[in-house]
Amino acid sequence: MAAGRRAPRSGLLELRGPGGRWLRVLLTLAEDSLGVSPADGPGPGEAPAAQLNGGEGGSGVPEALANIRRTVHVVKQDVGGLGISIKGGRENKMPILISKIFKGLAADQTEALYVGDAILSVNGTDLSEATHDEAVQALKKTGKEVVLEVKYMKEISPYFKNSAAGATVSWDPSPSGQQKRSSPVLPPHESRTVPLKMCYVSRKCLPADPEHRYLEVCSADGRVALFLRAKDEATAQSWLGAIQGAAGALLPRVKEELRAQLAGAGTAGGRDVRHVGWLTEQLPGAGTRNLLAVLTEKELLLYGSLPQSRDALGKPVHSYPLIATRLVHSGPAKGSALDEAELAFALRAGTRLGVQSHLFSLESPRDLALWTRLLVDGTHGAAELAQEVSAACTWKGQDCTLSIHIDKGFTISTTEPGLSKTILLQQPFEKLQMSSDDGTKMLYLDFGGPEGEIQLDLHSCPKTIVFIIHSFLSAKVTRLGLLA
């Protein structure tokens, strides 16, 4: 064997297939792929696809309900809302699906809703073409009494639980259509391979596993997903570490490929790739989604899957300049939708639309520490790189330019046609006593001078400038060796 090459690892696990049946499979971990091939016979603990109360069995779903439209009336409780989590959405080419029903809460008490139910409408609002966010908002806006039109998608249920990024699923799946997609069924002597390059791997699976034996692996493009079960928690953790280690060894190659794409992308040229990794976003109200985060020297770019071309790289789900992004929380997400034992960080970004907030969870304390350090250092680095930003504004009825320099501070100037720039006010950061805004267009600065509070009309949401001021201040404090 060549020097430096890792010997393949193999072992027997179980793969969840259609109908919730667990099949014994042989996993083979190579340098750049994870192979799955059938072993002798199904594994123990066969479980149907879905059941009431968010379990993973399906015996609780009457056969007659499959693909039949039903109307269910839910009365919300004072605490806990509807008591469901959802997956899917138009962006994932999936219907809106109930992925969990919390025992004892409103949906559970109806005894008429099931994990695997597609929500067709809520209080008459059609969700058949809704994105995940649109569905969340529609569910959040409901009153105490909620009317859900649902349909149990028998064919879909095994798939939506198994996919981290969402498989291609239609409203009326046919047997032939299912065969075209990545099915968990492994015919005799047939194997499947998951490329390890930027694959998603997690033990935080739905449905939850009280024995902590589950493991989810999904290819970077979301086309191949495996839902696995190990013999015990230690084995599951060992496989998680092994797969993460093999995928991590490929990370330098991924960074080089992304750098090459950025270098040839015109306006995107010159951006270095500092880190790439998966984050699990906790969505408002219900549900999660996995996003691939690409951290450059200037931006945080979020994608639904690994971009394979310059065009895809230029179309992230979200793009935030680091200089206008702030890490506001890092650690156990107490009081949030996350369990307190989970690890998470929260980001806020100042944009022209206001403040955008995201809550992300990670797999390990090491991942959390790494992302925390990279984001804080990245924000300071972006501030040092930018040095200065400017914005058009109006002050005392006069059209002006507000310039903010990391070293020189604040300058308000005006330029008449054919004349040189006239400085109306100049103050260093050290004199800034207070800054605030109205969230719409006004920025207020107080330097303690005779001019009093300076009121600047920025003609658009001031949050970007507010966040940049904070980033400059934080970077200046860090220069002094202090914790910003």
Side-chain angles (χ1 to χ4, degrees):
M1 184 168 55
R5 294 183 64 87
R6 184 186 293 108
R9 169 179 175 166
S10 62
L12 292 174
L13 280 83
E14 294 173 305
L15 174 71
R16 191 172 64 188
R21 295 175 60 88
W22 290 99
L23 311 173
R24 279 180 71 81
V25 294
L26 177 66
L27 251 61
T28 302
L29 181 62
E31 284 198 332
D32 58 1
S33 65
L34 178 67
V36 186
S37 57
D40 295 331
E46 295 181 359
Q51 73 173 30
L52 189 65
N53 300 335
E56 60 176 300
S59 57
V61 183
E63 187 69 26
L65 292 185
N67 295 320
I68 301 297
R69 287 177 178 257
R70 312 181 330 266
T71 299
V72 179
H73 294 260
V74 185
V75 179
K76 284 185 180 178
Q77 299 174 342
D78 293 335
V79 178
L82 285 172
I84 62 173
S85 290
I86 60 173
K87 277 191 174 184
R90 188 176 69 237
E91 69 273 30
N92 294 320
K93 300 179 182 179
M94 295 173 68
I96 301 299
L97 294 156
I98 296 177
S99 61
K100 187 173 182 64
I101 298 175
F102 294 92
K103 191 167 183 63
L105 297 185
D108 178 44
Q109 291 181 353
T110 67
E111 298 185 358
L113 291 170
Y114 302 88
V115 170
D117 271 337
I119 303 177
L120 310 182
S121 70
V122 52
N123 287 353
T125 300
D126 183 21
L127 298 185
S128 61
E129 294 294 328
T131 64
H132 189 283
D133 289 347
E134 289 169 348
V136 169
Q137 293 304 314
L139 291 168
K140 287 178 64 176
K141 292 177 181 177
T142 56
K144 188 172 181 63
E145 296 187 7
V146 184
V147 179
L148 298 177
E149 186 182 10
V150 299
K151 181 168 69 170
Y152 180 63
M153 311 296 284
K154 181 180 179 181
E155 299 89 343
I156 290 179
S157 183
Y159 293 89
F160 81 90
K161 291 180 182 177
N162 294 356
S163 175
T168 302
V169 180
S170 66
W171 281 98
D172 297 301
S174 62
S176 60
Q178 296 289 1
Q179 291 171 2
K180 293 178 182 178
R181 293 186 287 274
S182 296
S183 166
V185 174
L186 289 179
H189 312 299
E190 182 176 326
S191 300
R192 179 173 308 136
T193 300
V194 179
L196 292 180
K197 188 175 77 172
M198 286 317 302
C199 72
Y200 170 84
V201 55
S202 175
R203 291 186 59 212
K204 297 176 181 178
C205 307
L206 287 176
D209 174 25
E211 298 180 339
H212 307 291
R213 295 192 292 154
Y214 288 168
L215 184 68
E216 186 177 12
V217 184
C218 185
S219 61
D221 58 9
R223 294 180 180 179
V224 182
L226 305 174
F227 200 102
L228 301 162
R229 183 170 68 180
K231 66 177 182 178
D232 53 37
E233 181 178 359
T235 303
Q237 185 62 36
S238 175
W239 272 102
L240 174 75
I243 297 172
Q244 285 180 330
L250 300 175
L251 191 56
R253 184 195 308 177
V254 175
K255 290 182 179 179
E256 286 303 317
E257 291 173 356
L258 290 174
R259 289 187 184 111
Q261 292 174 12
L262 285 169
T267 57
R271 296 187 302 195
D272 188 25
V273 176
R274 300 295 173 86
H275 191 58
V276 186
W278 287 99
L279 302 174
T280 299
E281 183 181 14
Q282 308 297 313
L283 298 172
T288 63
R289 64 173 171 176
N290 298 315
L291 294 173
L292 185 71
V294 177
L295 187 68
T296 75
E297 59 187 357
K298 294 182 180 180
E299 291 179 292
L300 176 64
L301 308 170
L302 300 173
Y303 300 88
S305 60
L306 178 65
Q308 302 288 349
S309 65
R310 292 175 186 172
D311 183 59
L313 194 64
K315 297 178 180 178
V317 176
H318 295 290
S319 173
Y320 297 122
L322 288 176
I323 196 174
T325 302
R326 187 185 310 170
L327 182 75
V328 293
H329 169 85
S330 179
K334 296 182 178 179
S336 74
L338 284 170
D339 185 89
E340 291 187 4
E342 293 197 59
L343 301 164
F345 68 86
L347 283 182
R348 302 181 75 209
T351 75
R352 60 183 180 85
L353 300 177
V355 177
Q356 302 290 317
S357 299
H358 297 272
L359 178 62
F360 299 105
S361 64
L362 298 107
E363 199 71 29
S364 69
R366 179 180 176 276
D367 292 336
L368 178 62
L370 176 62
W371 275 105
T372 299
R373 177 177 59 81
L374 288 172
L375 288 168
V376 172
D377 291 349
T379 297
H380 295 160
E384 296 284 1
L385 201 61
Q387 289 287 300
E388 184 178 23
V389 295
S390 299
C393 65
T394 299
W395 183 39
K396 296 181 179 180
Q398 187 174 9
D399 291 337
C400 308
T401 298
L402 169 66
S403 298
I404 307 171
H405 193 283
I406 191 170
D407 294 319
K408 299 176 183 178
F410 299 81
T411 301
I412 301 176
S413 62
T414 182
T415 303
E416 298 292 339
L419 300 176
S420 61
K421 180 171 69 174
T422 301
I423 295 177
L424 304 178
L425 180 141
Q426 194 166 31
Q427 292 285 2
F429 268 104
E430 290 74 14
K431 291 290 185 69
L432 181 65
Q433 296 184 1
M434 184 275 297
S435 66
S436 60
D437 66 276
D438 66 353
T440 304
K441 64 176 183 176
M442 299 300 297
L443 175 66
Y444 307 106
L445 302 172
D446 189 346
F447 297 97
E451 68 277 355
E453 182 182 73
I454 297 171
Q455 301 182 8
L456 300 174
D457 184 349
L458 298 182
H459 312 303
S460 62
C461 183
K463 290 300 184 182
T464 300
I465 292 296
V466 171
F467 275 56
I468 290 174
I469 291 173
H470 178 275
S471 295
F472 278 156
L473 283 168
S474 182
K476 288 169 71 67
V477 171
T478 301
R479 282 180 182 176
L480 301 175
L482 302 175
L483 182 63

